[in-house]
Amino acid sequence: MIRLLLVAALLAGSIEFGAAQTVLRVGDQKGNAQAVMEAAGVLRNVPYRIEWKEFPAAAPLLEALSAGAIETGLVGDAPFTFAAAAGAPVKAIAAIRQTREGLAVLVPEKSPIRNFDDLRGKKIATGRGSIGHQLILAALERKGWSANDIQIAFLAPSDAKVAYTQGSVDAWSTWEPYVSQEEVLFKSRRIITSEGLTPGLSFQVARPDAIRDKRAELADFVQRLTAARAWSLNNVNSYAETWGKLMNIPTAVPLNWLSRARIRITAIDDGVVADEQSTIDLYFRWGLIKQKLNASDIVDRSFTEAIAKAPEL
């Protein structure tokens, strides 16, 4: 109770709101932000209404944001880059860092494939422009292979799961919680992760008009999310239980994911910008984007203070 009162007091006192209650429409993937915020208790006494919208992956979330159906959401650096290069109205307002073990190329338990070299000439499922796609490109580049050395089947997560299960693809390059679902429930094996290959960044993104018109709400939301993520580092079991109930998935799945992920929110700093530029450069080299972007043009550093003032729970 003391913790909740402290959070409410600190959050309410740090950001000013108008008299009328507004609505912040938030896109989420697999209950990611909502679950951790509910588990940490930071969604009480919010001085505006949060309207959650659930998406299976970043691409449809970014499409909804472009269409104005939502104002903010969580996406990986790769789909963010893809959307920004296509002219979507999107800016990164906070970064999410985590270990890179949860972005991986999976193969079934009994597959003869043991490493990435064994995938030469094989078919890998992933989403176009996704962080799974990014991992494949980075791995190809590391090996000195060309795009013709493998076959990529561009599929949404639900379709990729079906193709992977039925054996119509040899591997699946995907992200959490899909990786942990496959590992825990179906004994899939990771043959490569993004460790040492990609920055492993995700972003809280927002529409420029929302940054202008709902700055107070966005700053408050990011501050609450930062506090919740920091809390989750020492409360993995509680977070995993909440996530499992929200998604109707056995708790063992989020426990596998969250115990190794070490997810935390950071401000947009020079290191984040440099990492995002490396993602842009990778996509440009492979021709996925035709015009090279400047990472500093697609981020907004003005939420740094809100992130720094997030309370400890």
mmCIF file of all heavy atoms in Angstrom, residues 16-35:
data_model
loop_
_atom_site.group_PDB
_atom_site.id
_atom_site.type_symbol
_atom_site.label_atom_id
_atom_site.label_comp_id
_atom_site.label_asym_id
_atom_site.label_seq_id
_atom_site.Cartn_x
_atom_site.Cartn_y
_atom_site.Cartn_z
ATOM 1 N N GLU A 16 2.016 17.861 -15.192
ATOM 2 C CA GLU A 16 0.772 18.622 -15.081
ATOM 3 C C GLU A 16 -0.207 18.218 -16.169
ATOM 4 O O GLU A 16 0.157 18.050 -17.327
ATOM 5 C CB GLU A 16 1.065 20.122 -15.188
ATOM 6 C CG GLU A 16 1.910 20.661 -14.034
ATOM 7 C CD GLU A 16 2.135 22.151 -14.136
ATOM 8 O OE1 GLU A 16 1.599 22.752 -15.093
ATOM 9 O OE2 GLU A 16 2.819 22.707 -13.273
ATOM 10 N N PHE A 17 -1.501 18.106 -15.787
ATOM 11 C CA PHE A 17 -2.547 17.738 -16.727
ATOM 12 C C PHE A 17 -3.646 18.789 -16.698
ATOM 13 O O PHE A 17 -3.838 19.497 -15.714
ATOM 14 C CB PHE A 17 -3.163 16.369 -16.368
ATOM 15 C CG PHE A 17 -2.201 15.231 -16.512
ATOM 16 C CD1 PHE A 17 -1.375 14.860 -15.464
ATOM 17 C CD2 PHE A 17 -2.113 14.553 -17.707
ATOM 18 C CE1 PHE A 17 -0.477 13.821 -15.603
ATOM 19 C CE2 PHE A 17 -1.218 13.503 -17.861
ATOM 20 C CZ PHE A 17 -0.401 13.137 -16.808
ATOM 21 N N GLY A 18 -4.382 18.825 -17.805
ATOM 22 C CA GLY A 18 -5.528 19.705 -17.856
ATOM 23 C C GLY A 18 -6.674 19.128 -17.043
ATOM 24 O O GLY A 18 -6.617 17.996 -16.563
ATOM 25 N N ALA A 19 -7.744 19.895 -16.925
ATOM 26 C CA ALA A 19 -8.875 19.473 -16.089
ATOM 27 C C ALA A 19 -9.647 18.310 -16.716
ATOM 28 O O ALA A 19 -10.092 17.409 -16.038
ATOM 29 C CB ALA A 19 -9.813 20.654 -15.862
ATOM 30 N N ALA A 20 -9.810 18.334 -18.057
ATOM 31 C CA ALA A 20 -10.591 17.292 -18.715
ATOM 32 C C ALA A 20 -9.756 16.036 -18.916
ATOM 33 O O ALA A 20 -8.587 16.105 -19.293
ATOM 34 C CB ALA A 20 -11.092 17.807 -20.057
ATOM 35 N N GLN A 21 -10.356 14.885 -18.657
ATOM 36 C CA GLN A 21 -9.640 13.632 -18.835
ATOM 37 C C GLN A 21 -9.521 13.308 -20.323
ATOM 38 O O GLN A 21 -10.484 13.382 -21.071
ATOM 39 C CB GLN A 21 -10.355 12.484 -18.134
ATOM 40 C CG GLN A 21 -9.530 11.200 -18.146
ATOM 41 C CD GLN A 21 -10.238 10.039 -17.494
ATOM 42 O OE1 GLN A 21 -11.332 9.670 -17.926
ATOM 43 N NE2 GLN A 21 -9.646 9.469 -16.468
ATOM 44 N N THR A 22 -8.327 12.989 -20.744
ATOM 45 C CA THR A 22 -8.079 12.639 -22.134
ATOM 46 C C THR A 22 -7.883 11.129 -22.256
ATOM 47 O O THR A 22 -7.826 10.414 -21.261
ATOM 48 C CB THR A 22 -6.827 13.358 -22.669
ATOM 49 O OG1 THR A 22 -5.721 13.064 -21.812
ATOM 50 C CG2 THR A 22 -7.052 14.864 -22.710
ATOM 51 N N VAL A 23 -7.772 10.669 -23.491
ATOM 52 C CA VAL A 23 -7.566 9.248 -23.776
ATOM 53 C C VAL A 23 -6.237 9.091 -24.500
ATOM 54 O O VAL A 23 -5.949 9.805 -25.454
ATOM 55 C CB VAL A 23 -8.708 8.686 -24.648
ATOM 56 C CG1 VAL A 23 -8.433 7.228 -24.998
ATOM 57 C CG2 VAL A 23 -10.046 8.822 -23.940
ATOM 58 N N LEU A 24 -5.434 8.154 -24.034
ATOM 59 C CA LEU A 24 -4.189 7.806 -24.713
ATOM 60 C C LEU A 24 -4.361 6.401 -25.262
ATOM 61 O O LEU A 24 -4.536 5.437 -24.516
ATOM 62 C CB LEU A 24 -2.998 7.863 -23.751
ATOM 63 C CG LEU A 24 -1.619 7.659 -24.391
ATOM 64 C CD1 LEU A 24 -1.286 8.814 -25.334
ATOM 65 C CD2 LEU A 24 -0.533 7.525 -23.323
ATOM 66 N N ARG A 25 -4.299 6.279 -26.566
ATOM 67 C CA ARG A 25 -4.496 4.983 -27.229
ATOM 68 C C ARG A 25 -3.127 4.325 -27.418
ATOM 69 O O ARG A 25 -2.285 4.835 -28.147
ATOM 70 C CB ARG A 25 -5.216 5.179 -28.558
ATOM 71 C CG ARG A 25 -6.636 5.739 -28.394
ATOM 72 C CD ARG A 25 -7.226 6.156 -29.716
ATOM 73 N NE ARG A 25 -6.451 7.239 -30.326
ATOM 74 C CZ ARG A 25 -6.599 7.644 -31.585
ATOM 75 N NH1 ARG A 25 -7.469 7.030 -32.381
ATOM 76 N NH2 ARG A 25 -5.867 8.631 -32.058
ATOM 77 N N VAL A 26 -2.948 3.193 -26.750
ATOM 78 C CA VAL A 26 -1.637 2.546 -26.666
ATOM 79 C C VAL A 26 -1.654 1.185 -27.343
ATOM 80 O O VAL A 26 -2.474 0.325 -27.015
ATOM 81 C CB VAL A 26 -1.211 2.376 -25.194
ATOM 82 C CG1 VAL A 26 0.162 1.699 -25.117
ATOM 83 C CG2 VAL A 26 -1.191 3.718 -24.477
ATOM 84 N N GLY A 27 -0.741 0.989 -28.283
ATOM 85 C CA GLY A 27 -0.584 -0.308 -28.926
ATOM 86 C C GLY A 27 0.372 -1.179 -28.127
ATOM 87 O O GLY A 27 1.398 -0.714 -27.648
ATOM 88 N N ASP A 28 0.031 -2.452 -27.986
ATOM 89 C CA ASP A 28 0.856 -3.371 -27.212
ATOM 90 C C ASP A 28 1.008 -4.666 -27.990
ATOM 91 O O ASP A 28 0.165 -5.005 -28.823
ATOM 92 C CB ASP A 28 0.190 -3.645 -25.859
ATOM 93 C CG ASP A 28 1.173 -4.111 -24.789
ATOM 94 O OD1 ASP A 28 2.394 -4.031 -25.021
ATOM 95 O OD2 ASP A 28 0.717 -4.552 -23.728
ATOM 96 N N GLN A 29 2.093 -5.386 -27.739
ATOM 97 C CA GLN A 29 2.323 -6.678 -28.362
ATOM 98 C C GLN A 29 2.330 -7.764 -27.294
ATOM 99 O O GLN A 29 3.141 -7.727 -26.380
ATOM 100 C CB GLN A 29 3.668 -6.691 -29.093
ATOM 101 C CG GLN A 29 3.731 -5.802 -30.319
ATOM 102 C CD GLN A 29 5.017 -6.021 -31.084
ATOM 103 O OE1 GLN A 29 5.313 -7.130 -31.527
ATOM 104 N NE2 GLN A 29 5.793 -4.967 -31.254
ATOM 105 N N LYS A 30 1.387 -8.687 -27.410
ATOM 106 C CA LYS A 30 1.313 -9.811 -26.487
ATOM 107 C C LYS A 30 1.286 -9.372 -25.020
ATOM 108 O O LYS A 30 1.950 -9.938 -24.168
ATOM 109 C CB LYS A 30 2.493 -10.760 -26.711
ATOM 110 C CG LYS A 30 2.353 -11.673 -27.916
ATOM 111 C CD LYS A 30 1.298 -12.748 -27.668
ATOM 112 C CE LYS A 30 1.397 -13.902 -28.627
ATOM 113 N NZ LYS A 30 0.401 -14.952 -28.347
ATOM 114 N N GLY A 31 0.528 -8.309 -24.720
ATOM 115 C CA GLY A 31 0.383 -7.877 -23.340
ATOM 116 C C GLY A 31 1.657 -7.371 -22.707
ATOM 117 O O GLY A 31 1.782 -7.324 -21.487
ATOM 118 N N ASN A 32 2.629 -6.987 -23.503
ATOM 119 C CA ASN A 32 3.964 -6.661 -23.014
ATOM 120 C C ASN A 32 3.964 -5.534 -21.984
ATOM 121 O O ASN A 32 4.288 -5.736 -20.818
ATOM 122 C CB ASN A 32 4.850 -6.303 -24.216
ATOM 123 C CG ASN A 32 6.317 -6.530 -23.947
ATOM 124 O OD1 ASN A 32 6.800 -6.180 -22.897
ATOM 125 N ND2 ASN A 32 7.002 -7.116 -24.904
ATOM 126 N N ALA A 33 3.603 -4.324 -22.409
ATOM 127 C CA ALA A 33 3.612 -3.186 -21.493
ATOM 128 C C ALA A 33 2.485 -3.286 -20.467
ATOM 129 O O ALA A 33 2.674 -3.010 -19.278
ATOM 130 C CB ALA A 33 3.505 -1.881 -22.279
ATOM 131 N N GLN A 34 1.300 -3.674 -20.925
ATOM 132 C CA GLN A 34 0.155 -3.728 -20.020
ATOM 133 C C GLN A 34 0.396 -4.686 -18.864
ATOM 134 O O GLN A 34 0.098 -4.383 -17.709
ATOM 135 C CB GLN A 34 -1.103 -4.135 -20.785
ATOM 136 C CG GLN A 34 -2.362 -4.106 -19.917
ATOM 137 C CD GLN A 34 -3.610 -4.489 -20.689
ATOM 138 O OE1 GLN A 34 -3.541 -4.893 -21.854
ATOM 139 N NE2 GLN A 34 -4.753 -4.377 -20.053
ATOM 140 N N ALA A 35 0.969 -5.850 -19.168
ATOM 141 C CA ALA A 35 1.190 -6.853 -18.125
ATOM 142 C C ALA A 35 2.160 -6.369 -17.058
ATOM 143 O O ALA A 35 1.912 -6.522 -15.857
ATOM 144 C CB ALA A 35 1.693 -8.155 -18.738
#
